[in-house]
Amino acid sequence: MAELVTAGKVRYLGLSEAAPATIRRAHAVHPISALQTEYSLWSREPEDEILPTLRELGIGFVPYSPLGRGFLTGRFKSLADVPEGDYRHNAPRFQGENFEKNFELVDRIHQIAREKKCTASQLALAWVLEQGDDMAPIPGTKRRTYLEENIGAVSVQLTPEELRRIDEIAPKGVAAGDRYPGQGMATVNR
C-alpha cells in the first residue's frame, strides 16, 4: 500500500477494525491517516486502547455506526420492526433479552433528547462529536430527511452536566450482546 502512495495511485492510507498493535505496525511502514471502527453510545470499546493509540500517533478516527446500527434512533421498538432479511436479525444486540435491555438505554437517551429539544439521533451524534476534534462519524442513511436530521447534530451543544448524565446512562459496556455473532467478533480490532 505504501508503494501505491509513492506511485501517486493512493493519496492516504487508512485501516478498519484494527487493534493498537496492528495500527502501530502499519504506521511504522507508512503513516496511517485514519482508522474506521464502530463507536457509539453503546460501542465504546475504542476508548480503552484504540483512541489513545490514534491520538498518540496523530491518526484521525472515523466512527461508523454512531447511531448503534439505527437502534439509538428509536426506530426499532421490537425485532418485528427490523425489515425482513436485514442483517440485524442475526446481530446479538437485537436478540431477545439483549433487545429489551438495549431498548431501556434508548428510552433514557430519548428522555435527554426531549429535554434538549433534539432527536435521539442528534443527541447520539453530538455525543460522538464531543469526544474529540479527531472524530469524523459516518452515520449511514438512505433518506434525505435523516441526512438533514443528522447534520443538525452539529448544532446540539452538550454541557458538562449533560455529558455526565449521558455517561451515567451509557457507560462503557452498557450494551447487552456482542456487535456481531461469534465468528464476526473474532475479526474485529485485530
Side-chain angles (χ1 to χ4, degrees):
M1 294 299 294
E3 292 171 8
L4 292 174
V5 174
T6 303
K9 295 181 180 189
V10 174
R11 197 172 274 187
Y12 303 102
L13 298 182
L15 298 172
S16 181
E17 298 282 12
T22 302
I23 296 165
R24 288 180 189 287
R25 211 168 61 245
H27 195 69
V29 173
H30 189 277
I32 299 300
S33 297
L35 174 84
Q36 170 184 282
T37 195
E38 187 168 341
Y39 185 60
S40 69
L41 286 170
W42 76 344
S43 289
R44 295 181 60 177
E45 299 83 8
E47 293 174 4
D48 293 332
E49 297 177 8
I50 293 171
L51 279 173
T53 301
L54 297 178
R55 288 174 174 156
E56 173 192 330
L57 299 173
I59 299 171
F61 187 52
V62 182
Y64 73 81
S65 294
L67 300 177
R69 300 181 184 273
F71 202 90
L72 297 172
T73 68
R75 176 179 165 206
F76 306 112
K77 308 279 190 261
S78 74
L79 192 57
D81 294 333
V82 177
E84 190 70 34
D86 190 290
Y87 70 92
R88 286 172 276 217
H89 278 282
N90 297 316
R93 290 185 177 173
F94 282 79
Q95 304 300 309
E97 290 179 13
N98 290 344
F99 188 100
E100 297 305 320
K101 183 176 180 201
N102 291 328
F103 193 73
E104 292 172 16
L105 167 66
V106 172
D107 264 353
R108 290 178 279 180
I109 295 301
H110 273 266
Q111 179 181 346
I112 295 175
R114 282 189 298 275
E115 293 169 16
K116 291 288 294 175
K117 298 188 183 352
C118 66
T119 67
S121 300
Q122 290 170 332
L123 184 76
L125 285 170
W127 178 87
V128 170
L129 291 168
E130 283 286 337
Q131 302 312 302
D133 292 337
D134 53 356
M135 298 281 159
I138 50 172
T141 187
K142 294 179 182 162
R143 296 189 181 92
R144 183 182 183 110
T145 55
Y146 295 143
L147 173 64
E148 291 169 353
E149 177 183 341
N150 292 343
I151 290 169
V154 299
S155 299
V156 177
Q157 300 299 309
L158 298 173
T159 67
E161 174 60 20
E162 290 164 337
L163 288 167
R164 186 195 59 73
R165 282 181 62 205
I166 293 168
D167 244 11
E168 286 177 2
I169 289 169
K172 281 187 262 181
V174 71
D178 287 333
R179 291 168 37 198
Y180 302 108
Q183 286 289 68
M185 286 304 295
T187 65
V188 298
N189 300 330
R190 297 284 174 228

